[in-house]
Amino acid sequence: MEKVIIFSAPSGSGKTTIVHELLKRYPQFEFSISATSRAPRGAEQDGVDYYFLTEEEFLRRIEADAFVEWEAVYAGTHYGTLRSEVDRIWSKGNVIIFDVDVVGGVNLKKIFGNKACSVFIMPPSVEELERRLIGRGTDAPEVIAKRVAKAGQEIERAPEFDHVVVNDDLQRAIADTCAIIDNFIAQ
Ligand code: 5GP
């Protein structure tokens, strides 16, 4: 059966680190590359981390109904999953791994139903999340403030996910996630 695994979390929860580890361990998993209208950060590459689109091009594709789901995650910055990306991965027989924001994760679970397993990565606390975002050193202080402000609302939606994994210890969080996934894949 065609399957998808959805990971959502407040920004800075360690979700991307966990997703990268899973992609190394499971060769049949493939990362869904989202489209975004934000600028590349650090070493990010077009077609690897995201499909980087101009705001104009993003809006044109919304009009053309090219997205499975899209969202203005931050004011003026769009993110979304292209239909072509889902087709690309499933046509190879691979399992799609989504790394999306919390609203996107809830929406994708509704869209894919029992083809989907949704996992919420929970930070130990909002204070720890802020420390990690500052330590990452990739975002301006006002961007960090926006992400921290959003985290509280996002955490309230954790019960809408199939599973919640607390990331206070990375190796344990990875092990917990693998156990959830092994069970889903075996179904
Ligand atoms: P970042 O700018 O840190 O890469 O991502 C910001 C947020 O947008 C993250 O929570 C990320 O998971 C989310 N995001 C990335 N791609 C998508 C997508 O296709 N749809 C939605 N709804 N959110 C996304």
Side-chain angles (χ1 to χ4, degrees), residues 9 11 15 34-35 38 41 44 50 69 71 73-74 79-81 99-101 104 136 147:
S11 181
K15 170 186 56 161
S34 294
R38 81 152 162 76
R41 207 164 50 200
E44 286 178 338
Y50 282 106
E69 85 48 73
E71 226 192 305
V73 175
Y74 301 105
Y79 294 80
T81 303
D99 172 345
V100 296
D101 89 320
R136 191 159 85 176
R147 288 173 186 226

